[in-house]
Amino acid sequence: MAATRNLLLLHLGRPSCNCSSSSSSSSSSSSLSLSRAVFTFHFNFNPTFPGLARCNTAKSFNSARSIAHEKNKKEKKCRKKRDDSNKNKKRNDSRWSAAAESLVKRRTRSDRVFVWEHVQRYGNSCTHIPVMLGEVLEVFAPRPHRPPLRSFVDCTVGAAGHSSAIIQANSELQLYIGLDVDPLAHEKAHSQIHALLNEDCSLASNLNVYTFLKNFKDIKSVLFDVDENFLIHGVDGILMDLGMSSMQVNNAERGFSVLSDGPLDMRMNPQVSLKAEDILNFWPEAEVGRILLEYGEESNWQRLQTKIVNARLDGGLHSTGELVDLIQKTFPVSGGRNGWIKTATRVFQALRIAVNNELQTLEDALYACFDCLSSGGRLVVISFHSLEDRIVKETFLDIIDNKGEGIDGNTRKGKDDNVGETWIKQKIEGRKGTILTKRPITPSEEEERLNRRCRSAKLRVVQKV
């Protein structure tokens, strides 16, 4: 007890006392000092005391352990979220891989060697590149089991790239007819073909050439004007290249290009009164939305519809630059399906289709062209977006009278009567004709690499019985 008392007094800064006086004053003073010392020690403890340090360390350890436990719990939650996210990502990646694999299986990529010299000879790498030229030549190439190509119609002559190659590759050709609704394309094609004939007199002596500023839906009236017997006997080959030529896209005044500022025109035939500008500024709001949804397959059509209609309050849209600027402000993201460039491409496609009534015209023309084929004659169609390709596929099935059996009905391998035509993989047979391309043929990897504009092209062929 004395030792403890001395220790406490030492802590309070007082000297220790070892006297053994028994006076009451000394006793009470000592008791008061002891009480004061205990009181001070209790409330003003010094952490340097070993016992107190151990106590404080234990509390700190427990607190640290609690914090570490909470931290571990949070890390486990984060780790679980990451694992779940990775699992979902892997699951989505596997789904996309399966979808991509399925798409690759469903397409038939051309295995024909792409010859760049053909482009240099029959086209121009800057203004016009005939798409899938080698594949088109192969479809119409003379074969021992097939009659020669004596009559041919190019329904979209353009810059005459395909036509020039076909004329030179088929020496038996006696009649050539070229159609185009674009006056500039018609003039260029006319000059190109006659220049070709002037170079090779042997071709000019046997070939009758006609070019018309007409839409391909008017093919029957055109054949009647040339020789009404063609409506009875038919022609041996017809080509429809539905893509826009580079000379149209690169001409800013035509209004087709997303990247060039020009008037909102988009007319293939300048004689037509309707322009893209009229649709954007004067058509009912619901019709504008329908065009964006049906012709452009645009998922954000409602948002764009509202922006376009609201722009009318500020004077409307009168140039491709103004339309692109509106789209860019609405969808500023540069990549992905909702990137402004891809959105603008879909909007321009929708307006172009509406201005030229392309889809209905295409369907009518397909029926008319098939009616104009001779027995064994072939119709080749090159399309560039899903709306066109869907119409071509479904119309071909209806044309051949497939008896409602669908795309997988009456299918067989391309052999026997198509000896040597390795491009024919599977056919669909009908009462009136045979679809020679169950799956559309797409450009070779080499052509796609050298001409990015051809990457969405799909070639389909139907042959009349």
Side-chain angles (χ1 to χ4, degrees), residues 328-351:
Q328 191 171 8
K329 289 179 179 177
T330 307
F331 304 99
V333 182
S334 59
R337 179 172 173 79
N338 291 328
W340 73 267
I341 292 181
K342 294 187 177 181
T343 300
T345 302
R346 292 191 292 270
V347 171
F348 275 57
Q349 171 186 297
L351 291 170

Side-chain angles (χ1 to χ4, degrees), residues 85-354:
S85 177
N86 290 335
K87 287 180 181 178
N88 291 333
K89 185 177 180 181
K90 289 180 180 178
R91 192 180 299 114
N92 291 334
D93 289 345
S94 63
R95 288 175 182 173
W96 279 111
S97 299
E101 185 178 355
S102 174
L103 180 62
V104 170
K105 288 181 179 178
R106 293 177 66 85
R107 74 187 298 187
T108 305
R109 186 182 285 280
S110 174
D111 55 5
R112 185 179 177 87
V113 177
F114 178 70
V115 183
W116 183 249
E117 286 73 16
H118 283 173
V119 173
Q120 296 175 322
R121 185 175 182 181
Y122 300 111
N124 186 298
S125 59
C126 297
T127 60
H128 175 67
I129 300 177
V131 175
M132 301 184 73
L133 178 59
E135 290 74 11
V136 171
L137 290 174
E138 193 170 22
V139 171
F140 293 115
R143 301 287 178 183
H145 61 280
R146 296 192 70 246
L149 187 72
R150 292 193 172 91
S151 53
F152 177 79
V153 179
D154 190 341
C155 288
T156 49
V157 63
H162 290 107
S163 293
S164 299
I166 287 173
I167 289 172
Q168 285 204 319
N170 295 272
S171 57
E172 302 89 354
L173 195 62
Q174 299 172 2
L175 173 70
Y176 168 83
I177 298 176
L179 308 177
D180 207 298
V181 74
D182 187 336
L184 295 178
H186 173 262
E187 183 180 350
K188 186 175 181 64
H190 181 83
S191 302
Q192 177 74 14
I193 292 172
H194 283 279
L196 175 65
L197 297 178
N198 291 333
E199 291 178 5
D200 193 339
C201 296
S202 62
L203 293 174
S205 61
N206 300 323
L207 182 62
N208 294 314
V209 175
Y210 301 88
T211 57
F212 294 89
L213 186 61
K214 290 279 190 178
N215 192 295
F216 46 49
K217 68 178 181 180
D218 302 320
I219 185 171
K220 288 186 177 182
S221 64
V222 168
L223 290 177
F224 181 83
D225 291 340
V226 174
D227 189 341
E228 60 184 21
N229 289 324
F230 283 117
L231 290 179
I232 301 173
H233 304 293
V235 294
D236 300 326
I238 299 176
L239 171 66
M240 299 175 68
D241 179 4
L242 305 178
M244 297 177 61
S245 67
S246 297
M247 61 183 179
Q248 291 172 322
V249 176
N250 295 339
N251 186 352
E253 294 301 314
R254 302 297 298 274
F256 294 119
S257 176
V258 173
L259 302 178
S260 301
D261 189 20
L264 280 166
D265 195 323
M266 301 192 189
R267 293 174 296 173
M268 292 290 188
N269 181 4
Q271 302 302 320
V272 177
S273 60
L274 180 65
K275 301 179 182 179
E277 182 180 359
D278 301 326
I279 295 175
L280 293 172
N281 295 322
F282 302 109
W283 277 29
E285 183 176 354
E287 277 298 292
V288 174
R290 182 187 66 82
I291 288 170
L292 296 175
L293 175 62
E294 294 183 9
Y295 298 161
E297 298 181 295
E298 173 55 49
S299 58
N300 294 303
W301 63 273
Q302 290 176 311
R303 189 176 175 188
L304 278 170
Q305 168 191 280
T306 303
K307 292 284 186 179
I308 290 170
V309 173
N310 288 343
R312 297 175 182 177
L313 301 176
D314 297 325
L317 300 169
H318 304 284
S319 69
T320 56
E322 291 176 355
L323 177 57
V324 168
D325 186 56
L326 180 146
I327 296 170
Q328 191 171 8
K329 289 179 179 177
T330 307
F331 304 99
V333 182
S334 59
R337 179 172 173 79
N338 291 328
W340 73 267
I341 292 181
K342 294 187 177 181
T343 300
T345 302
R346 292 191 292 270
V347 171
F348 275 57
Q349 171 186 297
L351 291 170
R352 193 196 73 231
I353 291 174

Side-chain angles (χ1 to χ4, degrees), residues 350-370:
L351 291 170
R352 193 196 73 231
I353 291 174
V355 168
N356 300 286
N357 193 24
E358 292 181 14
L359 300 185
Q360 185 59 54
T361 301
L362 172 60
E363 186 175 350
D364 295 340
L366 290 172
Y367 285 104
C369 287
F370 188 81

Side-chain angles (χ1 to χ4, degrees), residues 12 14 29-42:
L12 294 173
R14 299 196 183 172
S29 177
S30 298
S31 299
L32 181 60
S33 298
L34 180 61
S35 300
R36 187 180 299 145
V38 171
F39 180 84
T40 305
F41 174 80
H42 181 73

